Amino acid sequence: GDSVTQMEGPVTLSEEAFLTINCTYTATGYPSLFWYVQYPGEGLQLLLKATKADDKGSNKGFEATYRKETTSFHLEKGSVQVSDSAVYFCALLNTNAGKSTFGDGTTLTVKP
Amino acid sequence: DAGVIQSPRHEVTEMGQEVTLRCKPISGHDYLFWYRQTMMRGLELLIYFNNNVPIDDSGMPEDRFSAKMPNASFSTLKIQPSEPRDSAVYFCASSFRSGGLTYNEQFFGPGTRLTVL
C-alpha cells in the first residue's frame, strides 16, 4: 500500500538557517504530493503541492520538487524565521482513491 | 469562505458519557474526512465519505465510534460510551474533485479537543 516516510524530528534551527526536511514515498501509479503545516492549536493547512514528476511546489519561501526517480519530495527553505516554527507533514494523494496518506510529521523549532 | 467548521472546539466529559462532534464541510466539497491526532499515534484517518456515503471506515477504532453524514453540509462523529483513551484532538477535513477527475488537497477544520476524565 501507499506510505510516506519523513525525517524524524524534532528539528531545531537558528533564525536564518537553511532548512531541509526529507520525505520519501511508496505508491502505485502517479500520486500528487503535498506538504502541510500545522501551527500550535490549529488544523493542518496546505503549504505547497506538486501534481506530477519534476514539478516544483513553492509558497512562503518553501520549495519542494517531485522526484519520481528517487520517490522523494524534500522540503527546503533558504532562511527560516521564528514564525516558521510548526509541525510539517508530507502527504501523498493517489489518483485511484480520494484519501491521502500522511507522514508522521516533523516538528520544527526556530530560535532567535 | 468560512472554511471547515467544527463544534465544539473543546469538550470535557466523564468516562461512560456519549460525545458527539460536529462538522460542516466547505460548500461544494464532496469528500469529508474524520481524523484523530494524539502524541502517541500521530494523525489517524478514522473514516471518510464521498457524496455523503461512507467509503472507508477501517480506521474506526471500535464499535463505540460511529459517524454519519445525513447531507452534504453536516457530519457527526459519535463516541458512546467514551473512555479516557479517546482523549485526543479530532479533525474534520473536506476536499473535492475538480472536473470529476482530479483529486485535490484537504482543507482541515480547527479541531475539537476532547478530554475524557
Side-chain angles (χ1 to χ4, degrees), chain A residues 3-109:
Chain A
S3 67
V4 174
T5 302
Q6 59 181 103
M7 189 169 90
E8 289 188 21
V11 174
T12 302
L13 296 173
S14 297
E15 204 164 24
E16 299 184 1
F18 184 85
L19 168 70
T20 299
I21 300 178
N22 291 336
C23 172
T24 57
Y25 68 91
T26 302
T28 56
Y30 303 95
S32 294
L33 301 175
F34 304 85
W35 278 100
Y36 289 83
V37 59
Q38 183 180 28
Y39 298 103
E42 299 182 9
L44 282 69
Q45 57 185 272
L46 180 69
L47 179 60
L48 54 84
K49 69 178 181 181
T51 58
K52 61 183 186 295
D54 299 325
D55 268 1
K56 176 185 284 187
S58 60
N59 186 27
K60 300 181 181 179
F62 290 90
E63 293 182 339
T65 301
Y66 189 164
R67 301 289 189 197
K68 188 169 175 61
E69 63 275 15
T70 56
T71 61
S72 66
F73 193 55
H74 304 320
L75 182 67
E76 296 182 337
K77 186 175 185 182
S79 176
V80 294
Q81 305 299 311
V82 172
S83 57
D84 293 328
S85 298
V87 182
Y88 292 82
F89 292 88
C90 184
L92 72 83
L93 175 57
N94 212 317
T95 54
N96 63 1
K99 64 178 182 178
S100 292
T101 301
F102 287 83
D104 290 336
T106 300
T107 300
L108 170 67
T109 301

Side-chain angles (χ1 to χ4, degrees), chain B residues 55-82:
Chain B
I55 301 301
D56 184 353
D57 66 354
S58 59
M60 296 286 261
E62 48 198 277
D63 292 345
R64 297 185 297 107
F65 286 69
S66 62
K68 295 182 180 180
M69 191 166 186
N71 57 62
S73 59
F74 184 66
S75 177
T76 59
L77 178 67
K78 186 176 293 186
I79 308 172
Q80 165 66 11
S82 58

Side-chain angles (χ1 to χ4, degrees), chain B residues 11-59:
Chain B
E11 177 80 31
V12 180
T13 190
E14 293 189 347
M15 183 174 63
Q17 297 298 307
E18 177 179 296
V19 174
T20 299
L21 311 181
R22 297 172 175 80
C23 175
K24 177 179 170 55
I26 293 172
S27 177
H29 284 195
D30 53 353
Y31 283 85
L32 184 138
F33 307 82
W34 281 102
Y35 292 89
R36 177 172 69 177
Q37 187 177 41
T38 61
M39 290 294 292
M40 290 296 294
R41 293 174 176 268
L43 189 68
E44 303 174 274
L45 175 65
L46 300 178
I47 185 172
Y48 78 100
F49 296 82
N50 176 220
N51 291 324
N52 314 336
V53 176
I55 301 301
D56 184 353
D57 66 354
S58 59

